[in-house]
Amino acid sequence: MSWFATLSRLTVLTAVLIMSSAVMALEPTDEQRQAAVESADSLRYGHYADVNFDEAWSQNAFDRYLDILDGQRAYLLQRDIKPFNHLRTELGRVLKNGELDEVFALHQRASQRREARLEWLLDELDQGLDFDFDGNQRLEVDREDAAFATRESELETLWEKRLKNDALSLALTDQDREQVEDALRQRYEGQLSRIEQTEPEDVFGLFMAAVTGSIEPHTAYLSPRQGESFDIQMSLSLEGIGALLQTDGEYVKVASLVAGGPAERAGVLKPADRIIAVGQEDEDEMVNVIGMRLDNVVDLIRGPKGSKVRLEVIPAQAVDTTRSHVVTITRDTVDLEDQAASSEVIELERDGEPHSLGVINVPTFYVDFDAWQAGEDDYRSTTRDVAEEVEKLKEQDVEGIVLDLRNNGGGALQEANSLIGLFIDRGPTVQVRDARGRIQLYGDSEAGTLYDGPLGVLVNRLSASASEIFAGAIQDYGRGLVLGSNTFGKGTVQTLDQLNHGELKLTRAKFYRISGKSTQNRGIEPDITFPSLIDPERIGESSLDNALGWDSVRDVQYRRYGQPEEFLPALKKRHEARAEDNPNFVYLERQSALARKLREQHTTVSLNREQRKKEMEAQEAEQLSLENQRRRALGMEELDEWIDAREDAMAGSHQDGINDDKDDDDEDMPAERAQVLEAAEILLDYAGLAANTRLAKG
């Protein structure tokens, strides 16, 4: 491109920016100013952390606000930010006094830049795309650590590449030029329309997200509209897909799935999947949601029970954003029955002798609060349902029980305490420390145990909060083995503070194990670790900005029921021998390592069509090779395309837990099913070693 052409484009962009500045500026309302003041007081005097709105905090919050407004450094110039630089040291005063005018003005400047850029993109489309997709250009994938540009020409070069990449990504899905241009026009017009519909509440919400996020990730401001949605979610009456979503740059990411919800039952979504478009069952066109506000995406996905929603998804394991696919989920409500514990018996053979092990799947820690508060005797709860399953398994003479808490994100604290009580004879279960350092001790006060045999707890990165309390207590008491991968690490307690306008979700306390160790940030470390496809750098407390750190308090008095650690060397040796010969375990280990390697390598993408295809094909060839190695070892039919492996995984993923319809010897089982079977093998080893030790001592 000639310097004259570049200058002409910059002139157009500057003109558009000048025109955009005529758009009416948004101003904070009196209610929002008061909400800011009240939030400052709540954060200073109610938060668990020592919140001090000093210059260091102001710097952090200001940078976070800029990240929210322009996280990829693609719109704002340094000269746009310069008039607001004094806020770097004064944002604490702004919040405490409700002086929001300059905060809104900075948002206005960012909106003007974004509007101007989108108008420029649409103008480029009107002129017709003329990309040949050759040459050696590459586009940086993640620019969050880049500096803000000093000149328009820097952003001009960036956006020429971004437009080319957007077009190439669509062209690689076999869309022709007209389809590509139409899809991009819909995307950019949608983003422009959303900017034009921005309201003061949107601006205030973004600023408050910067304020609360600079303190810790579970503290958040909820607007009146968001507070209503939060209440609906807590009552489990939300008619949608049963997925918790969060913003990830310009994308909306699946944070977790609701146990027993439509998405989990369908098995078509996984944590860290990114949703890029949403479509309704009665509409052909799908709405592109890249860059859309999170609550608007939620509104598109939510709908009447029984209706279908289509989602275009980039799988968590996909390295290239062009490798998306469309899934369909039937909307439904989630009730306690969908979250009820269930059990199965796994039959193993050792030295020609049959052995039976029980597995109880615990999706969440639930209780029917309405029935409980009404004084009903037969209210449903996790503890009561698990107790029924334990009795069933005892009647079948199982030699040990595994509690499967994988993907269990927590729930009612009282249920974690009472569930521990099924396996110990009275004692403390968890310590809760508030901001003043006061510690409250919770525990099981009922005498006796329901089950005192060999016990295992299976966890993964999505086991959080109450699940971590349960697993930590079982480990501290020496009551059983914890198996799987490191847990999420959410060891904090939140409450809602009512404001004059909206609500503030506030972290007020931290959980500590009876041994004194925090569950925060580090989570629970298993006694024996299994490989996992969940990337801890993308999912988990330690992956979140400003997460509170790990620490400890004094332990409490409690008696240990056993010394499982004495058997760990022998148990690990036997487990490793089985894992080396288990194609599913080998696959999980290698696939996890490969996914990590590909993510580390994927810092830029080629804008050359042939080179891009080669890089994509090379990455998928590695993934396909691993899958086919697993299939060959299991005697299964090999696949020709990696996309077939993804479809197979989606078809079988909902069977990873309790699976009554599938024989344990079925070679076509999902790879993660191997974890359940291996947990049973380890527990059988443990039961045998413990029994031999008791005989030797007796």
Side-chain angles (χ1 to χ4, degrees), residues 76-144:
L76 289 168
L77 295 167
Q78 289 187 20
R79 67 170 180 263
D80 295 319
I81 301 169
K82 187 176 180 180
F84 303 95
N85 272 338
H86 62 282
L87 294 178
R88 293 183 184 276
T89 59
E90 298 176 8
L91 215 54
R93 173 187 56 78
V94 166
L95 180 69
K96 288 185 286 186
N97 297 335
E99 299 170 357
L100 304 177
D101 297 274
E102 288 187 291
V103 168
F104 272 61
L106 178 53
H107 180 278
Q108 178 78 1
R109 181 68 58 86
S111 294
Q112 291 169 352
R113 284 291 182 186
R114 193 176 291 267
E115 275 186 309
R117 183 56 63 187
L118 288 167
E119 294 284 7
W120 178 87
L121 288 167
L122 290 169
D123 182 61
E124 292 293 298
L125 290 175
D126 289 340
Q127 296 179 39
L129 297 180
D130 187 25
F131 291 147
D132 48 23
F133 302 125
D134 58 10
N136 299 316
Q137 284 186 319
R138 300 190 71 87
L139 174 66
E140 190 177 6
V141 173
D142 188 353
R143 287 174 44 85
E144 65 177 11

